[in-house]
Amino acid sequence: MTFPLLTAIVFMPLAGAVVCALLPRARAPFARGVAAAFSGTVLLMASGLLVLFEPNLSSHQFVESISWVPQFGIRYHLGVDGISAPMVFLSALLTFIAVLASWKVTERAQSYFAMLMLLAVGMNGVFAALDFVLFYVFWELVLVPMYFLIAWWGGPRRDYAALKFFLYTLAGSVFMLVGIIAMYLHPDGGTFDMAVLATNAGRGMGPQFQFWVFAAFFLGFAVKVPVFPLHTWLPDAHVEAPTAASVLLAGILLKMGTYGFLRVSLPMLPGAAHAWQWVLATLAVISIVYGAAVAFAQKDLKKLVAYSSVSHMGFVMLGIASLNPVGIDGAMAVNFSHGIVTGLLFLLVGMVYERAHTREITELSGLSAKVPVYAGLLAFASFASLGLPGLSGFVGEFLSLVGAWESAIWPGLVVLAGVGVLLAAAYMLWMLQRTVFGTPSAKVAGISDVTPFEVAYVVPLVALTLVVGVWWDSLLRFVDPAVRALLAAMGA
């Protein structure tokens, strides 16, 4: 009997959540050790999955399929291809790092680490599910622990931010559910099997039906990305969320939206994908420029990183809108890079806030003089975020722009997206100039540098940023065969 690797990756965090939740109050400090043990084991299994994964095969691997609700053809169906396997690994990595970054959490520690573990179940499940009902269950599961992480361990406006996050994303999910039901009830649909629907590529579904179902899925996925003008929940959620929740929100939850476009919207509704190409590209470019411009105006370091996420995710959407292999390869590269780089940035913001008790950029001058290791890490992450060649941020943005240029998208939009690259360089360098250099401010004067423990859990993100930036094929060899198979099925 083959070991059910994907089931273990998805549900082992659930066992961790149960153990954490059942710990008596006197044993609360053990919760972090339990969470680290379970998430570390999941990371080892996800690493093994990447090692055993055959990149040249475009089909799904590690497939598990068991009848679940036979009356409606619903199955417990898991599997990964070159698009989802790297995301499963990224989810496992960031969860483990989020647990380590929460080592000092003592307030209701059992519940806190149980929520992190429960969040991991939903995130891993979304990227592994190949049945629409299972996909939707995991998608919705993510909302609950993230809501409580913000509402119970967040900042002063946590109740408002948590409620806004929940209502926005729940509203998007309702539209996604409408799309799922519409496809199931269509005479040429009739199944919840995502692999079958992708293979059918909308055959028998008329242009008008595809257009409106694509619209329903668009609202579900675009809120999660988030695409302008559906982004307003994101800055509030990031600013109020604890550091670990911000890392997972930016690193994984936003990726669920772009993953939905690649797993559902494009392969299952290819006719509508072409009809919506201009809408996707236009909103992507608005997100790029708007997110970068607003990031420039921020005084709060965490808010700057949050708005930079809106801009970077615009590049993912632009790559998807290109509907060609170069652009979608680029979209996946930005997806992965944004997860590791923005995760690193949010970890660094949390470290400085813990020491200086402020995130105001004007109050953080002179970091290099007082905390040189921290300043070096902040500079490294900022250069990666602005897309410096040799670091991971460059790979995806370059390919996304090339793909968009080679597509049917108006070249003027691509040029405007290029302006977003310049704006990103400007606001990141402006931030670095005001925080890293100069005379140490009163808030910075007494703070200590990062500890060896903190360095240990950010090193993997630094290493991945360098590896992907220099050795592009380390990521693209997984992604490209699956992307080309997707486009071939679409007839693109």
Side-chain angles (χ1 to χ4, degrees), residues 233-270:
W233 62 270
L234 180 72
D236 290 315
H238 269 311
V239 168
E240 301 304 325
T243 297
S246 285
V247 170
L248 295 175
L249 184 62
I252 303 300
L253 265 66
L254 306 190
K255 312 301 177 291
M256 288 165 50
T258 50
Y259 178 75
F261 279 103
L262 292 174
R263 179 62 68 219
V264 177
S265 304
L266 265 57
M268 298 181 193
L269 303 161

Side-chain angles (χ1 to χ4, degrees), residues 13 64 104 143 168 183 186 217 248 366 394 451 470:
E64 301 169 30
K104 294 179 182 176
L143 300 187
Y168 262 71
M183 293 191 73
H186 192 279
F217 281 120
L248 295 175
F394 174 76
T451 65
V470 175

Side-chain angles (χ1 to χ4, degrees), residues 142-492:
V142 165
L143 300 187
V144 178
M146 182 55 77
Y147 170 83
F148 284 113
L149 283 168
I150 298 172
W152 287 357
W153 292 275
R157 297 174 68 243
R158 55 183 179 264
D159 291 338
Y160 168 76
L163 185 62
K164 192 173 181 181
F165 158 78
F166 194 89
L167 291 179
Y168 262 71
T169 48
L170 181 65
S173 301
V174 171
F175 285 104
M176 186 175 77
L177 181 61
V178 170
I180 293 171
I181 293 172
M183 293 191 73
Y184 177 74
L185 294 179
H186 192 279
D188 288 299
T191 179
F192 291 112
D193 192 312
M194 297 169 73
V196 171
L197 288 168
T199 303
N200 292 342
R203 276 193 292 274
M205 298 177 181
Q208 195 170 20
F209 176 84
Q210 285 201 32
F211 182 89
W212 289 111
V213 174
F214 192 100
F217 281 120
F218 171 83
L219 289 171
F221 300 142
V223 167
K224 193 77 91 180
V225 173
V227 174
F228 177 90
L230 305 172
H231 67 285
T232 61
W233 62 270
L234 180 72
D236 290 315
H238 269 311
V239 168
E240 301 304 325
T243 297
S246 285
V247 170
L248 295 175
L249 184 62
I252 303 300
L253 265 66
L254 306 190
K255 312 301 177 291
M256 288 165 50
T258 50
Y259 178 75
F261 279 103
L262 292 174
R263 179 62 68 219
V264 177
S265 304
L266 265 57
M268 298 181 193
L269 303 161
H274 287 94
W276 276 78
Q277 185 179 27
W278 277 96
V279 177
L280 298 182
T282 303
L283 291 178
V285 173
I286 292 174
S287 297
I288 291 169
V289 176
Y290 169 82
V294 177
F296 218 139
Q298 297 309 308
K299 298 175 181 176
D300 184 309
L301 186 55
K302 200 172 188 184
K303 244 180 177 176
L304 182 149
V305 179
Y307 275 106
S308 77
S309 292
V310 176
S311 183
H312 288 305
M313 294 308 289
F315 280 102
V316 183
M317 291 304 300
L318 183 64
I320 291 172
S322 71
L323 300 180
N324 61 37
V326 177
I328 298 180
D329 279 357
M332 279 301 300
V334 179
N335 237 6
F336 192 86
S337 172
H338 182 262
I340 53 178
V341 173
T342 306
L344 178 57
L345 279 169
F346 277 122
L347 288 170
L348 293 171
V349 172
M351 289 176 194
V352 79
Y353 182 73
E354 187 179 301
R355 289 164 168 79
H357 305 295
T358 182
R359 296 190 302 258
E360 290 291 316
I361 293 172
T362 54
E363 295 179 344
L364 293 171
S365 63
L367 287 171
S368 62
K370 294 301 298 182
V371 285
V373 177
Y374 175 88
L377 288 168
L378 182 62
F380 176 85
S382 302
F383 283 125
S385 181
L386 65 85
L388 191 73
L391 302 176
S392 63
F394 174 76
V395 181
E397 291 184 1
F398 175 76
L399 293 177
S400 293
L401 289 172
V402 171
W405 187 268
E406 291 178 346
S407 73
I409 297 170
W410 180 50
L413 276 179
V414 185
V415 173
L416 279 175
V419 173
V421 177
L422 296 177
L423 286 173
Y427 68 70
M428 276 299 179
L429 293 175
W430 182 68
M431 179 273 290
L432 282 177
Q433 190 176 31
R434 293 198 299 166
T435 55
V436 171
F437 302 113
T439 305
S441 67
K443 293 281 187 182
V444 168
I447 67 173
S448 58
D449 212 337
V450 290
T451 65
F453 180 67
E454 290 168 327
V455 171
Y457 65 69
V458 300
V459 159
L461 301 179
V462 173
L464 274 175
T465 303
L466 286 168
V467 168
V468 174
V470 175
W471 182 28
W472 297 16
D473 192 51
S474 61
L475 176 63
L476 296 181
R477 71 195 186 96
F478 289 96
V479 173
D480 188 61
V483 168
R484 290 182 184 277
L486 182 154
L487 291 170
M490 289 175 64

Side-chain angles (χ1 to χ4, degrees), residues 64-69 72-79 125-126 128-138 180 184 191-197 263-264 268:
E64 301 169 30
S65 182
I66 304 169
S67 180
W68 180 16
V69 187
F72 299 98
I74 301 170
R75 301 184 68 80
Y76 174 78
H77 192 185
L78 303 179
V126 163
L130 290 178
D131 182 279
F132 250 140
V133 175
L134 198 60
F135 178 81
Y136 188 76
V137 168
F138 287 129
I180 293 171
Y184 177 74
T191 179
F192 291 112
D193 192 312
M194 297 169 73
V196 171
L197 288 168
R263 179 62 68 219
V264 177
M268 298 181 193

Side-chain angles (χ1 to χ4, degrees), residues 37-62:
F38 277 91
S39 59
T41 305
V42 171
L43 176 58
L44 287 175
M45 290 191 292
S47 303
L49 180 139
L50 275 192
V51 171
L52 297 172
F53 188 86
E54 178 49 63
N56 294 325
L57 295 178
S58 58
S59 58
H60 287 99
Q61 301 176 41
F62 304 97

